[in-house]
CSV table of all heavy atoms in Angstrom, one decimal:
chain,number,residue,atom,x,y,z
A,56,VAL,N,24.7,165.8,45.9
A,56,VAL,CA,25.4,167.1,45.9
A,56,VAL,C,26.8,166.9,45.2
A,56,VAL,O,27.6,166.2,45.9
A,56,VAL,CB,25.6,167.6,47.3
A,56,VAL,CG1,26.4,168.9,47.3
A,56,VAL,CG2,24.2,168.0,48.0
A,57,GLY,N,26.9,167.4,44.1
A,57,GLY,CA,28.2,167.1,43.3
A,57,GLY,C,28.4,165.6,43.1
A,57,GLY,O,27.5,164.8,42.7
A,58,ASP,N,29.5,165.0,43.6
A,58,ASP,CA,29.8,163.6,43.6
A,58,ASP,C,29.2,162.8,44.6
A,58,ASP,O,29.3,161.6,44.8
A,58,ASP,CB,31.2,163.4,43.3
A,58,ASP,CG,31.6,163.9,42.0
A,58,ASP,OD1,30.8,163.9,41.0
A,58,ASP,OD2,32.8,164.4,41.9
A,59,ASP,N,28.9,163.6,45.7
A,59,ASP,CA,28.4,162.9,47.0
A,59,ASP,C,26.8,162.6,46.9
A,59,ASP,O,26.0,163.4,46.4
A,59,ASP,CB,28.7,163.8,48.1
A,59,ASP,CG,30.2,164.0,48.2
A,59,ASP,OD1,30.9,163.1,48.1
A,59,ASP,OD2,30.5,165.2,48.7
A,60,THR,N,26.6,161.5,47.5
A,60,THR,CA,25.2,160.9,47.5
A,60,THR,C,24.7,160.5,48.9
A,60,THR,O,25.5,160.2,49.7
A,60,THR,CB,25.2,159.8,46.5
A,60,THR,OG1,25.9,158.7,46.8
A,60,THR,CG2,25.4,160.3,45.0
A,61,TYR,N,23.4,160.5,49.0
A,61,TYR,CA,22.7,160.1,50.3
A,61,TYR,C,21.6,159.2,49.8
A,61,TYR,O,20.9,159.4,48.8
A,61,TYR,CB,22.2,161.2,50.9
A,61,TYR,CG,21.2,160.9,52.1
A,61,TYR,CD1,21.6,160.9,53.4
A,61,TYR,CD2,19.8,160.5,51.7
A,61,TYR,CE1,20.7,160.6,54.3
A,61,TYR,CE2,18.9,160.2,52.8
A,61,TYR,CZ,19.4,160.1,54.1
A,61,TYR,OH,18.5,159.9,55.1
A,62,TYR,N,21.5,158.0,50.6
A,62,TYR,CA,20.4,157.1,50.2
A,62,TYR,C,19.7,156.7,51.5
A,62,TYR,O,20.4,156.5,52.6
A,62,TYR,CB,20.9,155.8,49.7
A,62,TYR,CG,21.5,156.0,48.3
A,62,TYR,CD1,23.0,156.2,48.1
A,62,TYR,CD2,20.7,156.0,47.1
A,62,TYR,CE1,23.5,156.3,46.7
A,62,TYR,CE2,21.3,156.2,45.9
A,62,TYR,CZ,22.7,156.2,45.7
A,62,TYR,OH,23.2,156.5,44.6
A,63,ALA,N,18.5,156.5,51.4
A,63,ALA,CA,17.7,156.0,52.5
A,63,ALA,C,18.0,154.5,52.7
A,63,ALA,O,18.3,153.8,51.7
A,63,ALA,CB,16.2,156.1,52.3
A,64,GLU,N,18.1,154.0,53.9
A,64,GLU,CA,18.5,152.6,54.1
A,64,GLU,C,17.6,151.6,53.4
A,64,GLU,O,18.2,150.7,52.8
A,64,GLU,CB,18.4,152.2,55.6
A,64,GLU,CG,19.5,152.9,56.4
A,64,GLU,CD,20.8,152.3,56.1
A,64,GLU,OE1,20.9,151.2,55.8
A,64,GLU,OE2,21.8,153.1,56.3
A,65,SER,N,16.4,152.0,53.1
A,65,SER,CA,15.5,151.2,52.4
A,65,SER,C,15.8,150.9,51.0
A,65,SER,O,15.3,149.9,50.4
A,65,SER,CB,14.0,151.6,52.5
A,65,SER,OG,14.0,152.8,52.0
A,66,VAL,N,16.7,151.8,50.4
A,66,VAL,CA,16.9,151.7,49.0
A,66,VAL,C,18.4,151.4,48.6
A,66,VAL,O,18.8,151.3,47.5
A,66,VAL,CB,16.3,152.9,48.2
A,66,VAL,CG1,15.0,153.1,48.4
A,66,VAL,CG2,17.2,154.2,48.5
A,67,LYS,N,19.2,151.5,49.7
A,67,LYS,CA,20.7,151.3,49.4
A,67,LYS,C,20.8,150.0,48.8
A,67,LYS,O,20.3,149.0,49.0
A,67,LYS,CB,21.3,151.2,50.8
A,67,LYS,CG,21.8,152.6,51.3
A,67,LYS,CD,22.6,152.6,52.6
A,67,LYS,CE,22.9,154.0,53.0
A,67,LYS,NZ,23.7,154.0,54.3
Side-chain angles (χ1 to χ4, degrees):
V56 174
D58 293 330
D59 295 325
T60 56
Y61 168 100
Y62 294 96
E64 285 296 325
S65 58
V66 305
K67 274 184 180 178

